[in-house]
Amino acid sequence: MTDARMVGVSRVLISEEELRSRIAELAAELDAEYRNDFPIVIGVLNGAVFFLTDLIREMKIPLEIDFMAVSSYGDSTRSSGVVQIIKDLSKSIEGRRVIVIEDIVDSGLTLKYLIDNLASRNPADLRVVVLLSKWAIGQAPVQHDHVGFVIPDEFVVGYGLDFAGRYRNLPFVGVYDPKADSADLPG
Ligand code: PRP
């Protein structure tokens, strides 16, 4: 049976195996960095859920999780630049070590907004783990502490990343191809 999830995906950019292996490396780095600190890991809904759950299952230290939902893209492939909080954290982060988990940084507007917002709540410290970034560490317009993969400036989908709500359930990261997308898919 053909895989209907693939319609509109021109090629695989990062395979399941590459994701698994890099996420295990990131988990080991975080375990070493936060060994005795009981950090709060904050996932940015919706896209980062896939990365967060895979990452923390590879981590061996005690931790808590919480989530925020923000939206900047709507159904477009370009950021609107206007970030809205749709769901806030369920508890205070004051005095805690915070790890923010993002699936992708493109313009950096979403993450910049989040970091400023969370920093104003007085955490002990705040670090950022990004699975996919279009920017190398040190060149990004916003704080990145750990990056899974630096990717080219293409619109990517899968492993949590969507276009108009679709493609999140692909197990790999692929390049979205609007020309190949099919109007007769549901949704
Ligand atoms: C996506 C992604 C990041 C943001 C990155 O979120 O999850 O949060 O865009 O783009 P930027 O660096 O240009 O700001 P989106 O608003 O599409 O919500 P989603 O996570 O529910 O897909």
Side-chain angles (χ1 to χ4, degrees), residues 18-36:
E18 288 169 316
L19 286 166
R20 197 174 304 123
S21 136
R22 182 70 185 116
I23 287 169
E25 289 174 0
L26 290 170
E29 290 170 20
L30 293 170
D31 276 347
E33 202 171 322
Y34 292 90
R35 185 166 304 145
N36 302 311

Side-chain angles (χ1 to χ4, degrees), residues 34-149:
Y34 292 90
R35 185 166 304 145
N36 302 311
D37 297 328
F38 192 45
I40 300 186
V41 178
I42 296 178
V44 186
L45 298 171
N46 294 314
V49 166
F50 296 70
F51 174 40
L52 180 144
T53 56
D54 284 347
L55 179 71
I56 63 172
R57 276 178 292 187
E58 292 287 333
M59 291 174 68
K60 309 283 190 290
I61 60 164
L63 54 81
E64 283 188 286
I65 61 170
D66 206 343
F67 293 95
M68 275 181 89
V70 297
S71 187
S72 59
Y73 273 46
D75 281 354
S76 159
T77 57
R78 284 284 150 206
S79 175
S80 65
V82 179
V83 180
Q84 284 181 291
I85 293 188
I86 296 166
K87 179 213 169 299
D88 207 343
L89 298 177
S90 57
K91 60 188 279 191
S92 168
I93 57 170
E94 189 168 353
R96 299 289 301 273
R97 297 199 73 188
V98 169
I99 307 172
V100 177
I101 305 289
E102 252 294 25
D103 51 355
I104 186 166
V105 172
D106 185 345
S107 69
L109 289 168
T110 307
L111 187 53
K112 171 89 176 61
Y113 173 86
L114 270 170
I115 290 170
D116 290 349
N117 183 290
L118 294 172
S120 74
R121 306 180 195 199
N122 301 317
D125 78 343
L126 188 157
R127 291 178 157 251
V128 179
V129 182
V130 177
L131 178 64
L132 310 172
S133 180
K134 295 187 176 174
W135 308 81
I137 288 180
Q139 290 168 4
V142 64
Q143 178 185 353
H144 290 30
D145 299 295
H146 296 266
V147 170
F149 300 88

